[in-house]
Amino acid sequence: MLELKALTAGYNDATILHGIDLSVAAGEIVALIGANGAGKSTLAKIIAGVLPPRQGEMRYEGKAIAHLSPRARIARGISLVPEGRQIIAGLSVEENLRLGAYPLEIEYGAVEQRIAAVCGQFPVLRERLRGSAGNLSGGQQQMLAIARALMTEPRLLVLDEPSLGLSPTLVTEVFALVQKLRMKGIGILLSEQNARMSLAIADRGYVLEMGRVALSGSGRELAANPAVVERYLGMGHAASAGTTADRATRHRQLVSGLGAILRD
Ligand code: ATP
């Protein structure tokens, strides 16, 4: 669905991304993990069309997209949930959802239908539709940011740090939602510092270090890779403590916990 080849990008004189090769298939969760400043948000902006690449190829559903505006990419089915949510606190939940559909210039009735469909997926938003988005909790605001992105009915969803600032329970809810979206056939690029959770649900993943793909593989392979454990699952982090068997058990518990939420 999305294929990046030898992609280079940066800001002013600084080159931030150096020859990135990355792909996302339909119905696949691909985790992009990396430390602060590794270039994850830069890559998300390039896919959304907010920042132009300097070199390399970017194809979506078989066609080159590097020349397309953000709006044209949204029309083709690419949607971004930006870092920090960027919902508009002074508007209602409904108005934020409307803004999600705005780039498509679809008629009022179609927007209403999409709001109804999105509310079906997010009961918590339906209950607060007329309320101010600024009064939502952090987790609800993240749900709104995802719901707003879904207003364009994307086939590829780029999520930039959706777990940032959320409690572990809310992170689990957001990740369970991401899995539900995958089941609908949406391709998902999940950019995250929370490597443990993102690798637990990812089909594949890439580790970005200083703007380069340092490692790639299945979510399971990466989660078991000693370099990933040491650098991203963290010293003293619960996920890195204990033996490999302990970690494997915790991984299974996490996945089955998410599975239980999905069955609800
Ligand atoms: P974080 O989790 O902190 O957002 P990240 O992996 O998403 O990290 P980026 O935000 O892509 O990293 O930043 C990569 C590098 O690009 C950093 O060195 C950052 O300072 C730099 N950078 C990001 N945005 C800009 C900008 N608008 N102008 C100049 N440099 C920038």
Side-chain angles (χ1 to χ4, degrees):
M1 178 177 261
L2 177 74
E3 194 164 14
L4 310 181
K5 276 197 189 147
L7 204 87
T8 297
Y11 307 94
N12 307 319
D13 295 339
T15 301
I16 303 294
L17 297 177
H18 306 266
I20 302 289
D21 293 328
L22 177 147
S23 65
V24 182
E28 185 182 44
I29 298 177
V30 174
L32 182 64
I33 61 174
N36 262 337
K40 304 181 300 298
S41 295
T42 302
L43 191 57
K45 285 186 229 167
I46 286 178
I47 296 167
V50 182
L51 183 72
R54 291 188 178 157
Q55 282 176 339
E57 269 181 52
M58 184 158 36
R59 301 182 83 77
Y60 171 71
E61 296 183 334
K63 297 194 178 110
I65 56 163
H67 61 289
L68 294 180
S69 67
R71 182 182 284 223
R73 293 183 205 201
I74 288 170
R76 297 236 184 138
I78 299 175
S79 197
L80 170 70
V81 181
E83 185 175 10
R85 299 154 203 157
Q86 299 185 18
I87 61 155
I88 302 181
L91 296 182
S92 70
V93 168
E94 184 179 354
E95 286 163 339
N96 272 275
L97 292 175
R98 260 179 216 294
L99 281 179
Y102 178 75
L104 295 180
E105 295 179 352
I106 50 179
E107 61 182 35
Y108 185 82
V111 176
E112 293 294 291
Q113 278 175 8
R114 289 188 186 200
I115 290 176
V118 162
C119 283
Q121 276 179 282
F122 297 87
V124 69
L125 298 182
R126 184 176 46 216
E127 287 158 20
R128 292 165 176 78
L129 213 48
R130 309 264 183 266
S132 163
N135 288 339
L136 297 178
S137 69
Q140 291 164 351
Q141 289 189 3
Q142 186 60 66
M143 292 299 183
L144 175 56
I146 297 172
R148 181 184 55 190
L150 295 178
M151 286 292 291
T152 60
E153 298 185 346
R155 296 190 290 284
L156 175 70
L157 190 62
V158 180
L159 291 148
D160 195 0
E161 302 273 4
S163 78
L164 205 67
L166 300 186
S167 68
T169 311
L170 289 173
V171 172
T172 306
E173 273 183 37
V174 168
F175 277 52
L177 170 67
V178 170
Q179 287 186 291
K180 281 186 182 168
L181 297 175
R182 180 227 331 245
M183 285 176 204
K184 290 173 186 278
I186 298 177
I188 293 161
L189 182 64
L190 178 60
S191 165
E192 265 294 338
Q193 282 186 43
N194 188 335
R196 185 172 68 99
M197 288 286 277
S198 52
L199 290 177
I201 65 166
D203 299 294
R204 291 186 304 112
Y206 295 84
V207 177
L208 206 57
E209 284 183 359
M210 298 181 76
R212 290 187 165 83
V213 174
L215 285 168
S216 62
S218 71
R220 195 176 287 257
E221 279 164 4
L222 289 177
N225 182 307
V228 174
V229 171
E230 190 191 326
R231 277 178 247 168
Y232 300 101
L233 302 181
M235 288 291 291
H237 193 292
S240 68
T243 62
T244 305
D246 291 339
R247 289 197 298 274
T249 305
R250 275 196 294 274
H251 180 88
R252 276 195 299 276
Q253 284 167 345
L254 178 62
V255 171
S256 83
L258 287 167
I261 290 175
L262 289 171
R263 280 192 296 278
D264 285 348

